[in-house]
């Protein structure tokens, strides 16, 4: 007696896979937080358990949001652009939405979500990525118009050709000083980021051949899904979650010395400090002479390129928001005790 396997519909298989993805997705931030503590403890389990006991979850979540907030609009806009391109390139958009999760996501994504993602990216993306953002906006607008108004040929010519080309020219004129500085300094990657989106954006505003549509949309999306967790993990593992401090120690019977590290907690009996090498130091409070909060190390600017006074490595939020100016460094932060 032969038992034939029960064939499962393809749609049910895709729905089952989507359910697994949606179930595992909320666990990703938790995994990032645990890995951050494990990295901070230098892979020492007792130290990691001590950090878990005293580090505020709100502080960890705040560091996660501040560090990775730029990834949210990137995911939304790329999915909307690739999914929209797949929808208009398929002979039957409804069939494409049933067969492809990418197309279904773009079809069901509300316009207000795209608007919020664009506004968030405008504030959090570095200047070098803003031409790419404008290109994505033009592409999404054109693909949406082609999808919703297929019979309006004059409007589609304006939206798919005139608007992207004019917008590209305006962007090139605005970033031209940065392009010249990038080429003069040998930073060709920055020059490409400033130039390529304005020149090539109009090529993605219309359908591609149906045979190449899946290759042009799914494989870039799959590559992004595979690489994104590694990029996000590397970025977040370097984010600070404890304040840098300097503690002046001495009881009158020995020379005063300064211990530097990340402050874990202060209780009734001791001050707990995590030093750079991963060593945890418990300092009795009666030996603590003074404490100070040290500023984060100044991030070295990777590029000196500016566009009309705007540094290429800064986002609009960083450029506009007030910054605490450190005019004089506390000697304790340099490892030297205060002069008596």
């Amino acid at each position: 007696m032969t038992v034939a396997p029960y064939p499962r519909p393809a749609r049910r298989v895709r729905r089952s896979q989507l359910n697994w993805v949606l179930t595992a997705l909320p666990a990703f931030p938790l995994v990032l937080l645990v890995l951050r503590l494990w990295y901070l403890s230098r892979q020492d389990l007792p130290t990691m358990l001590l950090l878990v006991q005293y580090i505020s979850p709100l502080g960890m979540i705040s560091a996660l949001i501040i560090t990775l907030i730029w990834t949210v609009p990137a995911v939304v806009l790329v999915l909307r652009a690739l999914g929209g391109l797949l929808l208009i390139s398929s002979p039957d958009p409804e069939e494409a939405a049933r067969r492809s999760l990418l197309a279904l996501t773009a079809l069901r994504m509300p316009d207000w979500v795209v608007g919020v993602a664009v506004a968030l990216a405008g504030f959090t993306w570095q200047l070098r990525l803003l031409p790419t953002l404008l290109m994505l906006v033009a592409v999404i607008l054109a693909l949406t118009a082609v999808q919703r108004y297929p019979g309006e040929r004059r409007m589609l010519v304006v939206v798919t050709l005139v608007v992207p080309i004019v917008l590209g020219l305006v962007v090139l004129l605005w970033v031209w000083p940065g392009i010249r500085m990038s080429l003069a300094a040998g930073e060709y990657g920055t020059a490409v980021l400033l130039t390529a989106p304005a020149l090539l954006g109009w090529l993605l505003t219309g359908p591609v051949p149906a045979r190449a549509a899946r290759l042009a949309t799914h494989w870039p999306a799959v590559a992004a899904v595979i690489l994104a967790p590694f990029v996000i993990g590397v970025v977040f593992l370097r984010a600070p979650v404890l304040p840098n401090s300097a503690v002046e120690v001495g009881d009158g019977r020995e020379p005063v010395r300064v211990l530097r590290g990340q402050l874990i907690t202060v209780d009734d009996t001791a001050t707990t400090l995590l030093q750079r090498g991963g060593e945890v130091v418990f300092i009795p409070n009666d030996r603590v002479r003074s404490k100070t909060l040290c500023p984060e190390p100044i991030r070295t600017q990777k590029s000196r390129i500016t566009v009309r006074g705007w540094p290429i490595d800064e986002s609009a939020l960083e450029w506009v928001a007030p910054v605490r100016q450190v005019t004089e460094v506390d000697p304790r932060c340099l490892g030297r005790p205060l002069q008596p």
Side-chain angles (χ1 to χ4, degrees):
M1 179 177 177
T2 304
V3 179
Y6 175 71
R8 299 180 63 188
R11 187 174 182 181
R12 183 176 299 179
V13 172
R14 288 193 298 271
R15 183 178 300 176
S16 175
Q17 295 174 352
L18 178 61
N19 291 337
W20 277 98
V21 172
L22 295 178
T23 302
L25 189 60
F28 182 65
L30 180 61
V31 173
L32 279 180
L33 298 178
V34 174
L35 286 177
R36 182 66 184 97
L37 293 179
W38 180 73
Y39 181 82
L40 187 63
S41 64
R42 298 297 189 271
Q43 307 178 32
D44 183 66
L45 184 58
T47 303
M48 189 185 76
L49 295 177
L50 179 68
L51 296 176
V52 171
Q53 181 179 358
Y54 288 108
I55 290 183
S56 169
L58 181 59
M60 293 283 292
I61 295 174
S62 300
L64 178 66
I65 293 175
I66 294 297
T67 306
L68 302 178
I69 193 172
W70 60 272
T71 61
V72 177
V75 172
V76 172
L77 297 177
V78 170
L79 287 179
R80 181 64 183 87
L82 293 179
L85 183 61
L86 180 59
L87 282 173
I88 68 169
S89 302
S90 302
D92 187 355
E94 295 184 359
E95 180 64 21
R98 286 194 295 267
R99 296 181 56 186
S100 171
L101 180 60
L102 182 62
L104 181 63
T105 302
L107 184 63
R108 294 185 176 181
M109 184 178 295
D111 294 339
W112 66 266
V113 173
V114 178
V116 171
V118 171
L120 188 60
F123 279 103
T124 59
W125 285 13
Q126 294 181 358
L127 172 58
R128 70 177 74 210
L129 298 177
L130 291 188
T132 304
L133 173 62
L134 294 176
M135 180 205 70
L136 286 174
V137 172
V139 168
I140 292 173
L141 288 176
L143 296 178
T144 303
V146 173
Q147 179 185 345
R148 297 179 182 178
Y149 309 102
E152 301 289 339
R153 294 191 175 182
R154 290 184 178 179
M155 183 193 71
L156 293 182
V157 170
V158 173
V159 174
T160 59
L161 288 178
V162 177
V163 172
I165 292 176
V166 172
L167 182 62
L169 291 177
V170 172
V171 171
L172 284 178
L173 289 175
W174 192 74
V175 301
W176 180 247
I179 296 174
R180 289 191 306 172
M181 294 179 64
S182 301
L183 294 176
E187 297 187 15
Y188 300 110
T190 300
V192 170
L193 286 175
L194 296 177
T195 308
L199 296 178
L200 305 178
W202 63 275
L203 296 176
L204 301 176
T205 56
V208 297
R211 294 183 178 180
R214 192 173 183 86
L215 179 63
T217 56
H218 271 268
W219 286 112
V222 169
V225 169
I226 294 175
L227 293 177
F230 296 98
V231 175
I232 291 173
V234 170
V235 172
F236 181 65
L237 286 180
R238 300 178 180 180
V241 293
L242 288 172
N244 286 329
S245 303
V247 181
E248 197 177 28
V249 180
D251 55 4
R253 293 174 295 181
E254 59 180 357
V256 177
R257 57 194 181 100
V258 176
L259 299 178
R260 292 181 297 169
Q262 294 176 297
L263 185 64
I264 299 177
T265 185
V266 178
D267 54 26
D268 296 337
T269 60
T271 297
T272 307
L273 200 68
L274 177 66
Q275 296 187 310
R276 179 172 298 181
E279 181 182 0
V280 178
V281 180
F282 299 94
I283 309 170
N285 287 336
D286 57 357
R287 298 185 57 199
V288 175
R289 299 187 57 175
S290 65
K291 290 180 288 190
T292 186
L293 186 65
C294 298
E296 288 293 325
I298 299 176
R299 186 188 58 158
T300 57
Q301 194 173 1
K302 297 181 181 179
S303 175
R304 296 182 179 180
I305 308 301
T306 61
V307 176
R308 305 185 188 277
W310 185 345
I312 203 76
D313 291 333
E314 289 188 2
S315 65
L317 194 60
E318 292 174 333
W319 193 36
V320 175
V323 179
R324 179 183 171 224
Q325 298 293 337
V326 181
T327 58
E328 185 176 350
V329 180
D330 193 302
R332 290 168 293 182
C333 296
L334 302 176
R336 300 193 299 265
L338 291 175
Q339 296 296 330

